[in-house]
Amino acid sequence: MNFTRWSARLPGTQRRAAARTEQTASPDRRGEGSVPAARAEQLTDEPASVPAVDELRVREVLDRVPSLVALVHGPDHRIAYVNDAYTTAFGVRPLGERAREALPELDALGLFPLLDQVQRSGKPRTVKSRKAPDGRSYTFTCTPVAQGDGKGGSDGRGVLVFATDVTDHAEAAERLRASERRQRETAVTLQRSLLPQELEEPDDLRVAATYHPGGTEAAVGGDWYDVITLGGGRTALVIGDVMGRGVRAAAVMGQLRTAVRAYARLDLPPHEVLQLLDGLAAEIDANQIATCAYAVHDPNEGKLVYSSAGHLPILVRDENGTVLRADEPTGPPLGTGGWMHSSGSIPLGPGSTAVLYTDGLVERRDADLDEGIAALERALAGATGTPQVVCDRLVRSAGVTPDHDDDVAVLVLQHPARTGPDSELFRNAALELLGGVEAAPRARAFASGVLTSWRFPADLHDLGVLATSELVANSLQHGTPPMRLRLRRTDRRLIIEVTDGDDHLPRRRRAEPGDESGRGIAIVATIASNWGCRRTPGGGKAVWCEFALPRGGM
């Protein structure tokens, strides 16, 4: 193999040769005397000029470069040349042999299809950072070359393989990827630890939730959900999304979730909870915003009262399979400040299913957000089964995979339509408290009759009548009409609630020995499993207490 004939066809060689010829001819074009004598003398004193790069043989250059160089030719990729660096890395390689047998390292790296492609197309190709059998990583550039004038047929075509050692860069990149994986694992662990480990189980609702972290880099964000039993049969449902990624977003999410649970215990209307949360979000981080939807379900009202801070609309599938979409968000995202939120409502009667979700479920880079929500509505319309089955089906229909590019949180709740023996465990009874002091004995008689018909044991019957008497007496003394008594039983508890038109909330206090009043709430708090009070949306208040039923119901 004549290497000089091959090197003459390497890119740039002809241009450099032409430039050298032009430089050599340029002095002949100068006029006589154009160079001063002193200058001429100075030139004669200089040492012999160093040969130009173009005057060096290509082989001499390639033999000395630290990169690996190999030249193969013909359809069989027979070895024409390997430089010293290649020999040092992989050993002596016999010239003229087929590269597939003589250069097994290239076969192990999968480079032969690339050599074929370069030879056919006549265009150079590069593959980055491939690990060779010697344990080091190289970036390979394959450049087509032609022998002589290029008329040698297929045997006249060859490929110059140039491999640069990038082991240090590859190891640094791997360390960076490992660091990112650790950061992601930390963020995912923090995120999951801040989410509820077990959802609370309301009496009247069945709930299920799922969380899928984003699958790219440290893409885990601040999505969260929660279910909070408020007492008196009411349940709060929460879903939110902190903007941003990583540990910081997860930490902010944890603070907001904790705050929501604290504010929920005040039993405030949804918009007031978000109003408080908005101020807290601004204090946590003025540059961090979050969306959130907070909803309250009261089985006696048959609807979901909600407030939304820039979050996606709640979807409800009724008992007929029709999907309803809640109105637009009732306020901007949390942390923006200066906005008064408001509450809305959407029907949620027996047999209905509601879905709260974050944008990762419906938002795609190549589609409009409304299209994603519409697709979710169609999936919900055909989704039946338990809340967990519905939850999994919605996630699958949205195409969420382990490498999904955003966090996904979904919360599904169902208000089951109970029939048969199961319906006997969920009963309601109500009485309008009309008149003056005579309303108290009438309320006691009503409670006694209802509890007897519900076949409560004598001790629970007597405690229920006593609690009814104290709550009604408190309302008659401190409240204003209209007044109403409501008794409700579930499979787990008895709930007694009295409402009136005065919005002053009672509190438990210690009565002095000489006081003739002030002991009613203290008595209720002592005999009941739980008690509480709240302001009602139309004005006034509700005071309630509940008694746990024996395990297994009655």
Short mmCIF file of all heavy atoms in Angstrom, two decimals, residues 48-109:
data_model
loop_
_atom_site.label_atom_id
_atom_site.label_comp_id
_atom_site.label_asym_id
_atom_site.label_seq_id
_atom_site.Cartn_x
_atom_site.Cartn_y
_atom_site.Cartn_z
N ALA A 48 18.47 28.01 8.83
CA ALA A 48 17.66 27.34 7.80
C ALA A 48 16.20 27.28 8.23
O ALA A 48 15.90 26.98 9.39
CB ALA A 48 18.20 25.93 7.54
N SER A 49 15.31 27.59 7.33
CA SER A 49 13.89 27.63 7.66
C SER A 49 13.37 26.24 7.99
O SER A 49 13.83 25.24 7.43
CB SER A 49 13.09 28.21 6.48
OG SER A 49 13.29 27.39 5.33
N VAL A 50 12.40 26.21 8.93
CA VAL A 50 11.76 24.95 9.33
C VAL A 50 10.77 24.54 8.25
O VAL A 50 10.02 25.38 7.74
CB VAL A 50 11.05 25.12 10.68
CG1 VAL A 50 10.34 23.83 11.07
CG2 VAL A 50 12.05 25.54 11.75
N PRO A 51 10.70 23.27 7.90
CA PRO A 51 9.76 22.86 6.85
C PRO A 51 8.32 23.18 7.24
O PRO A 51 7.93 23.04 8.40
CB PRO A 51 9.98 21.33 6.76
CG PRO A 51 11.33 21.11 7.33
CD PRO A 51 11.53 22.16 8.37
N ALA A 52 7.56 23.64 6.27
CA ALA A 52 6.14 23.93 6.51
C ALA A 52 5.39 22.64 6.78
O ALA A 52 5.82 21.55 6.40
CB ALA A 52 5.54 24.66 5.31
N VAL A 53 4.22 22.79 7.44
CA VAL A 53 3.41 21.61 7.74
C VAL A 53 3.05 20.86 6.48
O VAL A 53 3.02 19.63 6.43
CB VAL A 53 2.14 22.02 8.52
CG1 VAL A 53 1.22 20.83 8.71
CG2 VAL A 53 2.52 22.63 9.86
N ASP A 54 2.77 21.61 5.41
CA ASP A 54 2.38 20.97 4.16
C ASP A 54 3.49 20.15 3.55
O ASP A 54 3.26 19.29 2.70
CB ASP A 54 1.93 22.03 3.15
CG ASP A 54 0.61 22.66 3.56
OD1 ASP A 54 -0.10 22.02 4.36
OD2 ASP A 54 0.31 23.77 3.11
N GLU A 55 4.77 20.44 3.96
CA GLU A 55 5.89 19.69 3.42
C GLU A 55 6.12 18.38 4.17
O GLU A 55 6.93 17.56 3.75
CB GLU A 55 7.15 20.55 3.47
CG GLU A 55 7.05 21.79 2.58
CD GLU A 55 8.24 22.71 2.75
OE1 GLU A 55 9.12 22.38 3.57
OE2 GLU A 55 8.30 23.74 2.06
N LEU A 56 5.46 18.20 5.32
CA LEU A 56 5.60 16.96 6.09
C LEU A 56 4.73 15.88 5.48
O LEU A 56 3.63 16.14 4.98
CB LEU A 56 5.20 17.19 7.54
CG LEU A 56 6.05 18.18 8.34
CD1 LEU A 56 5.43 18.37 9.72
CD2 LEU A 56 7.49 17.69 8.46
N ARG A 57 5.21 14.65 5.54
CA ARG A 57 4.41 13.53 5.10
C ARG A 57 3.30 13.28 6.12
O ARG A 57 3.51 13.37 7.33
CB ARG A 57 5.27 12.30 4.94
CG ARG A 57 6.32 12.41 3.85
CD ARG A 57 7.14 11.15 3.79
NE ARG A 57 6.31 10.03 3.41
CZ ARG A 57 6.55 8.77 3.78
NH1 ARG A 57 7.57 8.50 4.55
NH2 ARG A 57 5.74 7.79 3.39
N VAL A 58 2.13 12.97 5.61
CA VAL A 58 0.99 12.74 6.50
C VAL A 58 1.29 11.63 7.49
O VAL A 58 0.95 11.69 8.66
CB VAL A 58 -0.27 12.41 5.68
CG1 VAL A 58 -1.41 12.00 6.59
CG2 VAL A 58 -0.67 13.60 4.82
N ARG A 59 1.99 10.60 7.04
CA ARG A 59 2.29 9.48 7.92
C ARG A 59 3.14 9.92 9.10
O ARG A 59 2.94 9.45 10.23
CB ARG A 59 3.00 8.39 7.14
CG ARG A 59 3.36 7.19 8.00
CD ARG A 59 3.67 5.99 7.17
NE ARG A 59 3.82 4.81 7.98
CZ ARG A 59 3.78 3.56 7.52
NH1 ARG A 59 3.58 3.36 6.24
NH2 ARG A 59 3.93 2.53 8.33
N GLU A 60 4.10 10.83 8.85
CA GLU A 60 4.95 11.30 9.93
C GLU A 60 4.12 12.04 10.99
O GLU A 60 4.39 11.96 12.19
CB GLU A 60 6.05 12.21 9.39
CG GLU A 60 7.04 11.50 8.49
CD GLU A 60 8.08 12.46 7.91
OE1 GLU A 60 7.94 13.68 8.19
OE2 GLU A 60 8.99 12.02 7.21
N VAL A 61 3.12 12.78 10.52
CA VAL A 61 2.26 13.51 11.46
C VAL A 61 1.39 12.54 12.25
O VAL A 61 1.31 12.59 13.48
CB VAL A 61 1.37 14.53 10.71
CG1 VAL A 61 0.41 15.21 11.66
CG2 VAL A 61 2.24 15.56 9.99
N LEU A 62 0.73 11.60 11.54
CA LEU A 62 -0.19 10.69 12.21
C LEU A 62 0.53 9.74 13.16
O LEU A 62 -0.05 9.29 14.15
CB LEU A 62 -0.98 9.89 11.17
CG LEU A 62 -1.90 10.72 10.25
CD1 LEU A 62 -2.65 9.79 9.31
CD2 LEU A 62 -2.87 11.56 11.06
N ASP A 63 1.79 9.42 12.84
CA ASP A 63 2.54 8.54 13.74
C ASP A 63 2.79 9.19 15.09
O ASP A 63 3.03 8.47 16.08
CB ASP A 63 3.89 8.17 13.10
CG ASP A 63 3.74 7.01 12.12
OD1 ASP A 63 2.70 6.32 12.20
OD2 ASP A 63 4.64 6.82 11.29
N ARG A 64 2.74 10.51 15.13
CA ARG A 64 3.12 11.20 16.35
C ARG A 64 1.93 11.76 17.14
O ARG A 64 2.09 12.23 18.26
CB ARG A 64 4.10 12.33 16.03
CG ARG A 64 5.48 11.81 15.65
CD ARG A 64 6.36 12.90 15.06
NE ARG A 64 7.72 12.43 14.85
CZ ARG A 64 8.11 11.62 13.88
NH1 ARG A 64 7.22 11.19 12.99
NH2 ARG A 64 9.37 11.25 13.77
N VAL A 65 0.74 11.77 16.57
CA VAL A 65 -0.41 12.32 17.30
C VAL A 65 -0.82 11.33 18.39
O VAL A 65 -0.69 10.11 18.23
CB VAL A 65 -1.61 12.59 16.36
CG1 VAL A 65 -1.26 13.63 15.33
CG2 VAL A 65 -2.08 11.31 15.69
N PRO A 66 -1.30 11.83 19.54
CA PRO A 66 -1.70 10.92 20.63
C PRO A 66 -3.01 10.21 20.38
O PRO A 66 -3.34 9.26 21.08
CB PRO A 66 -1.80 11.86 21.84
CG PRO A 66 -2.10 13.20 21.25
CD PRO A 66 -1.39 13.25 19.94
N SER A 67 -3.78 10.68 19.42
CA SER A 67 -5.06 10.03 19.12
C SER A 67 -4.83 8.75 18.32
O SER A 67 -3.79 8.56 17.68
CB SER A 67 -5.96 10.98 18.33
OG SER A 67 -6.23 12.14 19.07
N LEU A 68 -5.83 7.86 18.37
CA LEU A 68 -5.75 6.60 17.65
C LEU A 68 -6.17 6.81 16.20
O LEU A 68 -7.22 7.41 15.94
CB LEU A 68 -6.65 5.55 18.30
CG LEU A 68 -6.14 4.83 19.55
CD1 LEU A 68 -5.80 5.80 20.66
CD2 LEU A 68 -7.17 3.81 20.03
N VAL A 69 -5.36 6.32 15.25
CA VAL A 69 -5.66 6.50 13.84
C VAL A 69 -5.52 5.15 13.14
O VAL A 69 -4.54 4.42 13.36
CB VAL A 69 -4.72 7.53 13.18
CG1 VAL A 69 -5.07 7.69 11.70
CG2 VAL A 69 -4.81 8.87 13.89
N ALA A 70 -6.50 4.83 12.32
CA ALA A 70 -6.44 3.63 11.49
C ALA A 70 -7.02 3.97 10.13
O ALA A 70 -7.96 4.76 10.03
CB ALA A 70 -7.21 2.47 12.14
N LEU A 71 -6.43 3.36 9.09
CA LEU A 71 -6.91 3.58 7.73
C LEU A 71 -7.29 2.24 7.15
O LEU A 71 -6.48 1.29 7.16
CB LEU A 71 -5.83 4.25 6.88
CG LEU A 71 -6.20 4.53 5.42
CD1 LEU A 71 -7.31 5.56 5.33
CD2 LEU A 71 -4.97 5.00 4.65
N VAL A 72 -8.53 2.11 6.67
CA VAL A 72 -8.99 0.87 6.04
C VAL A 72 -9.48 1.20 4.64
O VAL A 72 -9.87 2.35 4.35
CB VAL A 72 -10.12 0.21 6.87
CG1 VAL A 72 -9.61 -0.17 8.25
CG2 VAL A 72 -11.33 1.14 7.01
N HIS A 73 -9.45 0.20 3.76
CA HIS A 73 -9.86 0.47 2.38
C HIS A 73 -10.63 -0.70 1.84
O HIS A 73 -10.54 -1.84 2.34
CB HIS A 73 -8.63 0.75 1.51
CG HIS A 73 -7.80 -0.48 1.26
ND1 HIS A 73 -7.95 -1.29 0.15
CD2 HIS A 73 -6.81 -1.04 1.99
CE1 HIS A 73 -7.09 -2.30 0.22
NE2 HIS A 73 -6.38 -2.17 1.32
N GLY A 74 -11.37 -0.43 0.79
CA GLY A 74 -12.10 -1.46 0.09
C GLY A 74 -13.35 -1.89 0.82
O GLY A 74 -13.61 -1.53 1.97
N PRO A 75 -14.17 -2.67 0.14
CA PRO A 75 -15.45 -3.13 0.74
C PRO A 75 -15.22 -4.04 1.94
O PRO A 75 -16.10 -4.15 2.79
CB PRO A 75 -16.13 -3.88 -0.42
CG PRO A 75 -15.02 -4.28 -1.34
CD PRO A 75 -13.98 -3.21 -1.24
N ASP A 76 -14.07 -4.69 2.02
CA ASP A 76 -13.79 -5.56 3.17
C ASP A 76 -13.11 -4.80 4.30
O ASP A 76 -12.80 -5.41 5.33
CB ASP A 76 -12.87 -6.71 2.75
CG ASP A 76 -13.55 -7.65 1.77
OD1 ASP A 76 -14.80 -7.69 1.78
OD2 ASP A 76 -12.85 -8.33 1.01
N HIS A 77 -12.88 -3.50 4.11
CA HIS A 77 -12.21 -2.67 5.11
C HIS A 77 -10.88 -3.31 5.54
O HIS A 77 -10.63 -3.59 6.71
CB HIS A 77 -13.10 -2.48 6.36
CG HIS A 77 -14.44 -1.89 6.07
ND1 HIS A 77 -14.61 -0.70 5.40
CD2 HIS A 77 -15.70 -2.36 6.33
CE1 HIS A 77 -15.89 -0.44 5.29
NE2 HIS A 77 -16.58 -1.43 5.83
N ARG A 78 -10.02 -3.52 4.55
CA ARG A 78 -8.71 -4.09 4.86
C ARG A 78 -7.79 -3.01 5.44
O ARG A 78 -7.83 -1.85 5.02
CB ARG A 78 -8.08 -4.72 3.61
CG ARG A 78 -8.90 -5.91 3.11
CD ARG A 78 -8.23 -6.63 1.96
NE ARG A 78 -9.03 -7.77 1.55
CZ ARG A 78 -8.96 -8.98 2.10
NH1 ARG A 78 -8.11 -9.19 3.09
NH2 ARG A 78 -9.73 -9.97 1.68
N ILE A 79 -6.96 -3.43 6.37
CA ILE A 79 -6.13 -2.48 7.10
C ILE A 79 -5.01 -1.97 6.20
O ILE A 79 -4.21 -2.76 5.65
CB ILE A 79 -5.51 -3.13 8.35
CG1 ILE A 79 -6.62 -3.72 9.24
CG2 ILE A 79 -4.69 -2.13 9.14
CD1 ILE A 79 -6.10 -4.49 10.41
N ALA A 80 -4.95 -0.64 6.05
CA ALA A 80 -3.87 0.01 5.31
C ALA A 80 -2.85 0.65 6.25
O ALA A 80 -1.67 0.75 5.90
CB ALA A 80 -4.44 1.07 4.37
N TYR A 81 -3.31 1.04 7.44
CA TYR A 81 -2.38 1.74 8.33
C TYR A 81 -3.00 1.85 9.72
O TYR A 81 -4.22 2.02 9.87
CB TYR A 81 -2.09 3.15 7.79
CG TYR A 81 -1.42 4.08 8.77
CD1 TYR A 81 -0.06 3.97 9.04
CD2 TYR A 81 -2.15 5.06 9.44
CE1 TYR A 81 0.57 4.82 9.94
CE2 TYR A 81 -1.54 5.91 10.35
CZ TYR A 81 -0.18 5.78 10.60
OH TYR A 81 0.43 6.63 11.50
N VAL A 82 -2.18 1.70 10.75
CA VAL A 82 -2.53 2.06 12.11
C VAL A 82 -1.34 2.81 12.70
O VAL A 82 -0.18 2.46 12.42
CB VAL A 82 -2.86 0.82 12.98
CG1 VAL A 82 -4.15 0.16 12.55
CG2 VAL A 82 -1.73 -0.19 12.99
N ASN A 83 -1.59 3.85 13.47
CA ASN A 83 -0.48 4.64 14.01
C ASN A 83 0.02 4.05 15.33
O ASN A 83 -0.52 3.07 15.85
CB ASN A 83 -0.87 6.11 14.16
CG ASN A 83 -1.84 6.34 15.30
OD1 ASN A 83 -2.48 5.41 15.79
ND2 ASN A 83 -1.97 7.60 15.72
N ASP A 84 1.07 4.68 15.85
CA ASP A 84 1.71 4.15 17.06
C ASP A 84 0.76 4.16 18.25
O ASP A 84 0.77 3.24 19.08
CB ASP A 84 2.97 4.97 17.38
CG ASP A 84 4.05 4.79 16.33
OD1 ASP A 84 3.97 3.81 15.57
OD2 ASP A 84 4.96 5.64 16.27
N ALA A 85 -0.08 5.22 18.37
CA ALA A 85 -1.00 5.30 19.50
C ALA A 85 -2.00 4.15 19.46
O ALA A 85 -2.36 3.57 20.49
CB ALA A 85 -1.73 6.64 19.50
N TYR A 86 -2.45 3.79 18.25
CA TYR A 86 -3.39 2.68 18.12
C TYR A 86 -2.73 1.37 18.53
O TYR A 86 -3.30 0.54 19.24
CB TYR A 86 -3.89 2.60 16.67
CG TYR A 86 -5.14 1.76 16.50
CD1 TYR A 86 -6.36 2.36 16.28
CD2 TYR A 86 -5.08 0.37 16.56
CE1 TYR A 86 -7.52 1.59 16.13
CE2 TYR A 86 -6.21 -0.40 16.41
CZ TYR A 86 -7.43 0.22 16.20
OH TYR A 86 -8.57 -0.54 16.07
N THR A 87 -1.47 1.19 18.07
CA THR A 87 -0.73 -0.03 18.42
C THR A 87 -0.51 -0.12 19.92
O THR A 87 -0.63 -1.19 20.52
CB THR A 87 0.61 -0.05 17.67
OG1 THR A 87 0.36 0.01 16.27
CG2 THR A 87 1.39 -1.31 18.00
N THR A 88 -0.21 1.02 20.55
CA THR A 88 0.00 1.02 22.00
C THR A 88 -1.28 0.63 22.74
O THR A 88 -1.23 -0.08 23.74
CB THR A 88 0.47 2.41 22.46
OG1 THR A 88 1.68 2.75 21.78
CG2 THR A 88 0.70 2.44 23.96
N ALA A 89 -2.42 1.09 22.24
CA ALA A 89 -3.69 0.83 22.92
C ALA A 89 -4.18 -0.60 22.72
O ALA A 89 -4.63 -1.25 23.66
CB ALA A 89 -4.76 1.82 22.45
N PHE A 90 -4.05 -1.13 21.48
CA PHE A 90 -4.67 -2.42 21.17
C PHE A 90 -3.70 -3.47 20.63
O PHE A 90 -4.11 -4.58 20.31
CB PHE A 90 -5.81 -2.23 20.16
CG PHE A 90 -6.92 -1.36 20.67
CD1 PHE A 90 -7.14 -0.12 20.12
CD2 PHE A 90 -7.73 -1.78 21.70
CE1 PHE A 90 -8.17 0.69 20.58
CE2 PHE A 90 -8.75 -0.99 22.17
CZ PHE A 90 -8.98 0.26 21.62
N GLY A 91 -2.42 -3.11 20.51
CA GLY A 91 -1.44 -4.07 20.02
C GLY A 91 -1.22 -3.94 18.52
O GLY A 91 -1.92 -3.20 17.80
N VAL A 92 -0.23 -4.69 18.02
CA VAL A 92 0.13 -4.66 16.60
C VAL A 92 -1.00 -5.27 15.77
O VAL A 92 -1.56 -6.31 16.14
CB VAL A 92 1.45 -5.41 16.35
CG1 VAL A 92 1.80 -5.42 14.87
CG2 VAL A 92 2.57 -4.77 17.16
N ARG A 93 -1.32 -4.62 14.67
CA ARG A 93 -2.37 -5.11 13.78
C ARG A 93 -1.77 -5.37 12.40
O ARG A 93 -1.12 -4.48 11.82
CB ARG A 93 -3.53 -4.10 13.68
CG ARG A 93 -4.27 -3.89 14.99
CD ARG A 93 -4.98 -5.17 15.39
NE ARG A 93 -5.79 -5.02 16.58
CZ ARG A 93 -5.43 -5.41 17.79
NH1 ARG A 93 -4.22 -5.94 17.95
NH2 ARG A 93 -6.23 -5.27 18.83
N PRO A 94 -1.97 -6.55 11.84
CA PRO A 94 -1.36 -6.87 10.53
C PRO A 94 -2.01 -6.08 9.40
O PRO A 94 -3.24 -6.01 9.30
CB PRO A 94 -1.63 -8.37 10.39
CG PRO A 94 -2.85 -8.62 11.23
CD PRO A 94 -2.75 -7.67 12.38
N LEU A 95 -1.18 -5.49 8.55
CA LEU A 95 -1.69 -4.73 7.40
C LEU A 95 -2.21 -5.68 6.34
O LEU A 95 -1.72 -6.81 6.17
CB LEU A 95 -0.59 -3.85 6.83
CG LEU A 95 0.02 -2.81 7.79
CD1 LEU A 95 1.07 -1.97 7.07
CD2 LEU A 95 -1.05 -1.93 8.40
N GLY A 96 -3.20 -5.23 5.61
CA GLY A 96 -3.77 -6.01 4.53
C GLY A 96 -4.85 -6.97 4.96
O GLY A 96 -5.56 -7.53 4.12
N GLU A 97 -5.02 -7.21 6.25
CA GLU A 97 -6.05 -8.12 6.72
C GLU A 97 -7.41 -7.42 6.81
O GLU A 97 -7.49 -6.18 6.91
CB GLU A 97 -5.68 -8.66 8.11
CG GLU A 97 -4.41 -9.50 8.13
CD GLU A 97 -4.58 -10.79 7.37
OE1 GLU A 97 -5.72 -11.32 7.35
OE2 GLU A 97 -3.59 -11.28 6.79
N ARG A 98 -8.46 -8.22 6.79
CA ARG A 98 -9.81 -7.65 6.94
C ARG A 98 -9.96 -7.13 8.36
O ARG A 98 -9.63 -7.80 9.34
CB ARG A 98 -10.88 -8.69 6.66
CG ARG A 98 -10.88 -9.20 5.22
CD ARG A 98 -11.92 -10.27 5.03
NE ARG A 98 -13.24 -9.76 5.30
CZ ARG A 98 -14.27 -10.51 5.70
NH1 ARG A 98 -14.07 -11.80 5.93
NH2 ARG A 98 -15.45 -9.97 5.89
N ALA A 99 -10.53 -5.90 8.45
CA ALA A 99 -10.63 -5.24 9.75
C ALA A 99 -11.56 -5.99 10.71
O ALA A 99 -11.36 -5.97 11.91
CB ALA A 99 -11.12 -3.81 9.58
N ARG A 100 -12.55 -6.70 10.17
CA ARG A 100 -13.50 -7.36 11.06
C ARG A 100 -12.81 -8.45 11.89
O ARG A 100 -13.18 -8.70 13.02
CB ARG A 100 -14.65 -7.96 10.24
CG ARG A 100 -15.80 -8.45 11.10
CD ARG A 100 -16.98 -8.84 10.23
NE ARG A 100 -17.56 -7.70 9.55
CZ ARG A 100 -18.48 -6.90 10.10
NH1 ARG A 100 -18.86 -7.10 11.34
NH2 ARG A 100 -18.97 -5.89 9.41
N GLU A 101 -11.77 -9.11 11.29
CA GLU A 101 -11.02 -10.10 12.05
C GLU A 101 -9.82 -9.48 12.75
O GLU A 101 -9.50 -9.85 13.89
CB GLU A 101 -10.52 -11.23 11.14
CG GLU A 101 -11.61 -12.16 10.62
CD GLU A 101 -12.36 -11.58 9.44
OE1 GLU A 101 -11.81 -10.66 8.79
OE2 GLU A 101 -13.49 -12.03 9.16
N ALA A 102 -9.16 -8.52 12.10
CA ALA A 102 -7.91 -7.98 12.65
C ALA A 102 -8.13 -6.83 13.63
O ALA A 102 -7.23 -6.51 14.41
CB ALA A 102 -7.01 -7.51 11.50
N LEU A 103 -9.30 -6.19 13.58
CA LEU A 103 -9.60 -5.08 14.50
C LEU A 103 -10.88 -5.42 15.28
O LEU A 103 -11.92 -4.77 15.12
CB LEU A 103 -9.79 -3.76 13.73
CG LEU A 103 -8.60 -3.28 12.89
CD1 LEU A 103 -8.97 -2.00 12.15
CD2 LEU A 103 -7.37 -3.07 13.74
N PRO A 104 -10.81 -6.43 16.13
CA PRO A 104 -12.03 -6.84 16.86
C PRO A 104 -12.57 -5.74 17.77
O PRO A 104 -13.75 -5.74 18.09
CB PRO A 104 -11.57 -8.06 17.67
CG PRO A 104 -10.08 -7.88 17.82
CD PRO A 104 -9.64 -7.23 16.54
N GLU A 105 -11.72 -4.81 18.19
CA GLU A 105 -12.19 -3.73 19.06
C GLU A 105 -13.20 -2.84 18.35
O GLU A 105 -14.15 -2.35 18.95
CB GLU A 105 -11.01 -2.89 19.57
CG GLU A 105 -10.15 -2.26 18.49
CD GLU A 105 -9.07 -3.21 17.97
OE1 GLU A 105 -9.03 -4.38 18.41
OE2 GLU A 105 -8.29 -2.77 17.12
N LEU A 106 -13.02 -2.66 17.03
CA LEU A 106 -14.00 -1.86 16.27
C LEU A 106 -15.32 -2.62 16.14
O LEU A 106 -16.39 -2.02 16.15
CB LEU A 106 -13.45 -1.51 14.89
CG LEU A 106 -12.18 -0.65 14.85
CD1 LEU A 106 -11.88 -0.24 13.41
CD2 LEU A 106 -12.32 0.58 15.74
N ASP A 107 -15.23 -3.93 16.02
CA ASP A 107 -16.44 -4.74 15.95
C ASP A 107 -17.20 -4.68 17.28
O ASP A 107 -18.42 -4.57 17.32
CB ASP A 107 -16.07 -6.18 15.60
CG ASP A 107 -17.29 -7.00 15.21
OD1 ASP A 107 -18.34 -6.40 14.90
OD2 ASP A 107 -17.20 -8.24 15.21
N ALA A 108 -16.44 -4.74 18.39
CA ALA A 108 -17.08 -4.67 19.71
C ALA A 108 -17.76 -3.33 19.92
O ALA A 108 -18.76 -3.23 20.64
CB ALA A 108 -16.03 -4.90 20.81
N LEU A 109 -17.24 -2.29 19.30
CA LEU A 109 -17.83 -0.96 19.44
C LEU A 109 -18.96 -0.73 18.44
O LEU A 109 -19.60 0.32 18.46
CB LEU A 109 -16.76 0.12 19.23
CG LEU A 109 -15.70 0.21 20.34
CD1 LEU A 109 -14.51 1.05 19.88
CD2 LEU A 109 -16.30 0.81 21.59
#
